[in-house]
Every structure is written in structure tokens, then in C-alpha cells.
Amino acid sequence: MDPPMITALAALILIELLKNKVKRNVLVQPVLSNRLTLGIFHSMFSAHRDNPHKFFSYYRMSVNSFNELLSIISQRIKKQDTNMRRSITPAERLAVTLR
């Protein structure tokens, strides 16, 4: 094949790839945007905190141990909020890891 033919084929392939590209309309899906109000962490964590036996059976440590561990590692696992979305809190990150 000669170089102009290779260039033409590459251009056609690129055009086809761009046509088939999925256009995304939103950064965060609507289901996930409600995690602050409908998420399991925000709805259950305070209830578990009020009941030490439930908290221990769910997270495998006491509330005091959880708070102490959170204070130790909080700065290391904290992420920055952006204009597009709020980051996951260190408490939620730790709870998911322990669960």
C-alpha cells in the first residue's frame, strides 16, 4: 500500500471510531447524586452509633475505637471536594472499609 492509501484508511477508521463514541450527558448519574440523603451510610450510621451492640456487630469495633482510628487516619484518606461533586467523607470511607 502506498502512503496516501494508508492515510486515507487511518482517517476512515478514526471517523468511524468518533461516530461510535458514546456521548455522556451527566458527570454523576441521578441515582448516585442522592447518596447524601438516600445512601445506606447516611441513613444507618447514626442509628448504629446510638446502639453500641449493633455498631460492634456491624463494624467489628466499638464506637470509641472507630473514632480513635478515624482521628488517626482521617487526614490520609480525606479527598478534596470539587465544583462538580462532594467527596466521600473519611468516616464513610472507613466504614466501607471495615464493613
Side-chain angles (χ1 to χ4, degrees):
M1 279 191 185
D2 56 350
M5 184 65 121
I6 292 173
T7 306
L9 284 174
L12 285 173
I13 291 171
L14 183 62
I15 289 170
E16 284 299 316
L17 288 175
L18 291 175
K19 273 199 252 181
N20 294 334
K21 186 177 178 181
V22 176
K23 292 184 181 181
R24 293 195 168 90
N25 295 332
V26 293
L27 180 65
V28 178
Q29 294 296 322
V31 172
L32 299 177
S33 65
N34 294 331
R35 89 177 152 85
L36 294 176
T37 55
L38 302 176
I40 208 75
F41 175 78
H42 296 285
S43 61
M44 296 299 293
F45 188 72
S46 60
H48 284 151
R49 248 183 192 220
D50 295 339
N51 187 342
H53 296 292
K54 287 273 190 190
F55 190 91
F56 189 85
S57 68
Y58 200 77
Y59 296 108
R60 298 175 186 89
M61 66 173 50
S62 68
V63 176
N64 292 335
S65 298
F66 182 89
N67 291 335
E68 186 176 338
L69 181 60
L70 182 61
S71 68
I72 293 170
I73 66 168
S74 179
Q75 290 302 315
R76 293 182 184 164
I77 63 173
K78 183 177 177 165
K79 301 293 182 185
Q80 185 175 358
D81 290 342
T82 65
N83 291 335
M84 299 292 183
R85 63 180 176 192
R86 292 183 55 194
S87 64
I88 299 172
T89 63
E92 189 172 357
R93 287 177 182 275
L94 179 59
V96 168
T97 302
L98 293 174
R99 184 62 181 135

